[in-house]
Amino acid sequence: MTMTSDINPTIPDPALWLHKVVRSYHQGEQTLSILDEADLAIWPGQSVALIAPSGAGKSTLLHLAGLLERPDQGEVYVGLEPTAEMEDEARTTLRRLQIGFVYQFHHLLPEFTAQENVMLPQMIRGLSKAEARTRSAQLLGYLGLDQRGTHRPSELSGGEQQRVAIARAIANGPRILLADEPTGNLDPKTADHVFTVLTQIVRATGLAALVATHNMDLAARMDRRVTLRDGKIVELE
Ligand code: ADP
């Protein structure tokens, strides 16, 4: 006989959950409200596009989600762990292990090879050089860069640089991937390719991804699309 619990599949916990997050900036007498009890939950394996005009608060949202800023009120849960009141050191550790960042510009270290750039975060976490090298080679291979490991960033194309940046962001097996216009600096064809790789990785590894983008074609290929309206996060469609 089938039990009820067998019929109702267990709903997994969100990897990232912003709950009633409030954030405003003060400039002299003026208060600029950016987020006003904003809510957003992202589940493992899910990619969410964040589409909003410049100045709407996308970077603020990504900084809060990435534990780079604290909310004025509300809570940011990383894997159900509340972080708003956490000590700085614990937040840094959590960020290092659970959150990967990809920016519009790759920010790879110019004097290191692609492989070394991917190895560094792993070695900072405490992995041996050999372990870090093995994982870096695997990641670069998965991203179609097996022939590029020994190249420095300046010897790579824009699309290759961004793929190395993605490998670096996921080197420590984070739960969450945050990206701010990751393909904004690339031509359409390259952007498309980098984006395909990014979404494949999100699904294959069960990452939860929040990607700020102006590119509607790319946003359309993600699982969900959200925007910011009057300080709230609103689902599009
Ligand atoms: P977006 O990434 O969507 O362009 P931001 O999150 O960078 O938007 O900024 C949202 C608004 O908050 C903008 O009007 C910006 O000028 C303002 N802002 C951002 N950071 C600060 C700050 N540290 N102090 C004051 N105002 C800020």
Side-chain angles (χ1 to χ4, degrees):
M1 205 172 84
T2 311
M3 304 289 288
T4 312
S5 59
D6 292 333
I7 296 167
N8 297 327
T10 312
I11 298 170
D13 299 325
L16 173 68
W17 180 24
L18 287 92
H19 183 53
K20 295 198 173 192
V21 166
V22 174
R23 186 78 173 100
S24 50
Y25 293 115
H26 302 281
Q27 278 176 331
E29 302 277 282
Q30 288 210 316
T31 300
L32 188 62
S33 172
I34 308 296
L35 297 172
D36 181 16
E37 302 205 332
D39 278 301
L40 177 69
I42 307 181
W43 276 266
Q46 199 173 54
S47 57
V48 179
L50 173 60
I51 310 152
S54 194
K58 298 183 297 298
S59 303
T60 302
L61 182 62
L62 289 170
H63 290 165
L64 287 164
L67 311 184
L68 294 165
E69 281 184 41
R70 289 178 197 265
D72 301 329
Q73 287 173 47
E75 191 51 272
V76 176
Y77 297 92
V78 172
L80 290 193
E81 189 162 0
T83 63
E85 305 295 334
M86 226 179 225
E87 299 283 338
D88 283 344
E89 207 178 312
R91 281 167 64 90
T92 302
T93 304
L94 195 61
R95 184 187 316 123
R96 216 173 259 161
L97 295 179
Q98 305 276 12
I99 303 170
F101 293 90
V102 180
Y103 301 94
Q104 180 171 359
F105 301 99
H106 57 78
H107 295 305
L108 297 169
L109 297 172
E111 66 273 32
F112 292 97
T113 65
Q115 185 160 41
E116 287 164 348
N117 268 281
V118 183
M119 286 167 67
L120 279 170
Q122 301 174 71
M123 290 168 67
I124 290 168
R125 176 173 55 124
L127 254 62
S128 73
K129 207 167 178 177
E131 287 170 316
R133 188 178 292 120
T134 303
R135 179 161 167 83
S136 300
Q138 284 169 348
L139 281 171
L140 291 174
Y142 186 73
L143 288 157
L145 293 165
D146 12 13
Q147 305 300 317
R148 296 285 178 273
T150 57
H151 292 216
R152 295 199 176 166
S154 61
E155 299 161 346
L156 300 171
S157 70
E160 288 169 343
Q161 289 167 345
Q162 271 314 58
R163 280 185 281 152
V164 177
I166 292 169
R168 178 187 55 182
I170 62 169
N172 284 333
R175 226 181 246 277
I176 299 162
L177 184 71
L178 301 172
D180 199 350
E181 293 282 354
T183 59
N185 198 34
L186 304 174
D187 65 78
K189 193 158 164 261
T190 309
D192 196 270
H193 180 225
V194 168
F195 195 82
T196 301
V197 165
L198 186 74
T199 43
Q200 274 171 357
I201 281 179
V202 168
R203 293 204 178 112
T205 60
L207 268 166
L210 179 61
V211 181
T213 182
H214 282 113
N215 188 322
M216 297 305 280
D217 292 338
L218 299 184
R221 285 163 44 191
M222 299 182 73
D223 297 319
R224 286 162 58 198
R225 283 145 294 282
V226 299
T227 192
L228 288 161
R229 205 170 286 153
D230 298 328
K232 304 271 194 273
I233 296 163
V234 181
E235 300 276 338
L236 294 169
E237 293 167 343

